[in-house]
Amino acid sequence: MTTAAAPTVFIIDDDELVRAAIQGMLKSVGLRSQTFATPQEFLCSKRADGPSCLVLDVRLPGVNGLDFQRDLADAGFRIPIIFITGYGDIPMTVKAMKSGAVEFLTKPFRDQDLLDAIHQALDRDRVTRQGESELADLRKRYESLTIREREVMGLVVSGMLNKQIASELGNSEITVKIHRGHVMRKMQADSLAELVRMAAKLEVPTDKK
């Protein structure tokens, strides 16, 4: 694994001893981490790229961790969160988990429980990042199509035959076959089924505007 792709665990806790303990535990198993006393420090920092997760104390001076979780989501900042707290209760746990938290641990917790949650969170973030990367690549391919090729692609994945598409667009069937070939090549689709899956991910319109 390269340094750029190495996972990072971000830790936000106002207790310096807790931050140091978690960071030391992570270092012992070869995981990189960055610590912060407040959410503001986290937001203002230059964070390492690559798969990541956030270990977040629920109760911070002047800030509620659950509110910060919502603020991150509202801002489009997607990161798996593991909550830690010394004052957990069932309603708080339910709210955190419904909002997408990976785990909710009450202090004192076992190191292994935190490590298990962190590995789960990092795996989740890897999958999310891979999906986002694949979608971005698909969008680039789609953007390379001409307007007519996009129209043809939409009609092809809707299930129309070349003859029907030609009639719909006012082209010859030969022209439609040429456009269809360009679509398959530019989208790097090996089959119609694969093209249909790509179109579904891209939410391609399936009828003529």
Side-chain angles (χ1 to χ4, degrees), residues 37-109:
T38 67
Q40 289 73 25
E41 286 183 15
F42 170 74
L43 292 174
C44 294
S45 69
K46 182 177 180 181
R47 296 177 294 277
D49 195 13
S52 61
C53 69
L54 175 61
V55 177
L56 177 63
D57 191 4
V58 171
R59 296 179 185 271
L60 297 165
V63 183
N64 182 291
L66 298 177
D67 291 340
F68 185 58
Q69 178 190 32
R70 186 187 63 244
D71 292 342
L72 287 176
D74 289 346
F77 192 102
R78 307 296 177 185
I79 183 171
I81 296 176
I82 299 153
F83 282 105
I84 57 175
T85 181
Y87 312 94
D89 55 42
I90 292 176
M92 187 184 295
T93 303
V94 170
K95 183 178 179 180
M97 300 305 284
K98 280 187 174 180
S99 297
V102 175
E103 187 57 274
F104 195 102
L105 300 174
T106 303
K107 303 172 186 175
F109 45 78

Side-chain angles (χ1 to χ4, degrees), residues 1 30 54 178 206:
M1 180 178 293
L54 175 61
I178 292 172
T206 56

